[in-house]
Amino acid sequence: MILDLDGVITHTAKLHSLAWKQLFDTYHQKLLARGQPGYPDFTERDYHLYVDGKPRQNGVQDFLESRGISLPMGDHEDSPDQETLHGLANLKNTFFAAALEQQGPEVFPDAVEALHQWRKQGLKLAVASSSKNCKEVLEIAKLEHFFDARIDGTHLQLWDMPGKPAPDMFLAAASALEVAPEHAAVIEDAISGIQAAAAGQFGLVIGVARFGAGKEPLRNAGAHLVVTRLTEISLENAPVQNAG
């Protein structure tokens, strides 16, 4: 079982969404202060459409391009005040880190229950998150002991690996668990993550639609099964695909 973190195990997606809005509102005001044209406000729809589940710099790029703005990529080490995609991505992370320190991660009770159950069943578990804060979030939430492997945003940078919707992150997690993709399940709440799992031809791709989120977009992106809580997942009756 390979699980995303934000929106699947923890509700840090709420903190991420707020940090993204703070970033794009701040940059909007910077443009206006220089006498440059502004752009329509960042919305919840923009969060799901352009940034959710992606490496930070790619989320910055996709949102700004949707507003007709193009910036140089820059470098991972760019300071938060540099006007590059990496610079703005690092500024977003300062906003998120502050919110995480103040509020801490909210953990979904159904996720903890499911993790306990899957551990009892002897399943190998991995977490695969685009967030560079994944390790810290798991440690604060005291969940790190559940997982046999972790692939996150730090590995994307270290290995120069493309993020979701490319399948590389999930394939790396499967390799770390020493299991073929067709014999593994991926659990994701983001469209980009579902697309990544589908592209990796995993045996079971499970979408998580919490808080009344629509199930159809996840199905359209390639999910075999869509649930609202992880405790709804019954592997005995799951429609496993591509298993040999």
Side-chain angles (χ1 to χ4, degrees):
M1 304 289 285
I2 302 171
L3 297 84
D4 180 38
L5 178 67
D6 303 325
V8 174
I9 301 170
T10 63
H11 196 15
T12 40
K14 176 174 61 177
L15 301 183
H16 280 292
S17 183
L18 292 173
W20 279 114
K21 181 164 179 58
Q22 190 174 359
L23 168 70
F24 291 125
D25 286 353
T26 299
Y27 187 59
H28 186 200
Q29 292 304 314
K30 184 175 183 178
L31 294 179
L32 293 177
R34 291 199 306 235
Q36 294 178 241
Y39 50 74
D41 287 344
F42 180 80
T43 66
E44 184 176 352
R45 178 180 181 275
D46 293 319
Y47 174 77
H48 293 290
L49 194 58
Y50 298 116
V51 305
D52 189 21
K54 299 178 183 178
R56 288 196 298 265
Q57 67 275 11
N58 298 130
V60 174
Q61 181 177 38
D62 290 350
F63 172 76
L64 290 182
E65 286 184 351
S66 78
R67 300 306 198 254
I69 299 172
S70 180
L71 292 179
M73 178 62 71
D75 185 81
H76 288 284
E77 304 305 319
D78 285 354
S79 67
D81 60 355
Q82 287 184 257
E83 205 162 327
T84 64
L85 297 178
H86 277 295
L88 291 183
N90 290 335
L91 178 58
K92 180 265 174 181
N93 194 51
T94 64
F95 293 144
F96 174 77
L100 182 64
E101 183 178 354
Q102 292 171 3
Q103 302 182 39
E106 179 183 345
V107 180
F108 293 116
D110 62 278
V112 177
E113 184 179 343
L115 290 171
H116 275 293
Q117 182 60 37
W118 294 333
R119 266 301 187 195
K120 287 181 181 178
Q121 292 176 334
L123 292 174
K124 294 181 179 181
L125 302 177
V127 60
S129 168
S130 297
S131 175
K132 292 182 180 179
N133 301 291
C134 180
K135 183 176 185 292
E136 180 183 6
V137 170
L138 289 175
E139 289 175 348
I140 294 173
K142 302 187 184 308
L143 297 173
E144 71 275 12
H145 64 282
F146 281 110
F147 298 100
D148 303 289
R150 171 180 51 83
I151 305 294
D152 61 26
T154 63
H155 299 96
L156 291 180
Q157 178 178 338
L158 181 64
W159 299 335
D160 194 24
M161 187 167 64
K164 307 166 189 177
D168 302 54
M169 173 170 279
F170 289 136
L171 293 174
S175 178
L177 293 179
E178 300 182 334
V179 62
E182 60 265 29
H183 296 299
V186 170
I187 306 175
E188 258 283 359
D189 70 312
I191 290 174
S192 61
I194 295 293
Q195 292 171 333
Q201 297 185 324
F202 281 81
L204 183 60
V205 180
I206 303 173
V208 183
R210 296 189 184 274
F211 308 114
K215 295 184 176 183
E216 204 58 33
L218 297 175
R219 291 194 185 99
N220 292 340
H224 302 135
L225 174 69
V226 180
V227 299
T228 57
R229 297 181 302 278
L230 301 197
T231 46
E232 296 174 22
I233 299 171
S234 174
L235 298 181
E236 289 79 6
N237 301 318
V240 178
Q241 306 291 320
N242 304 321

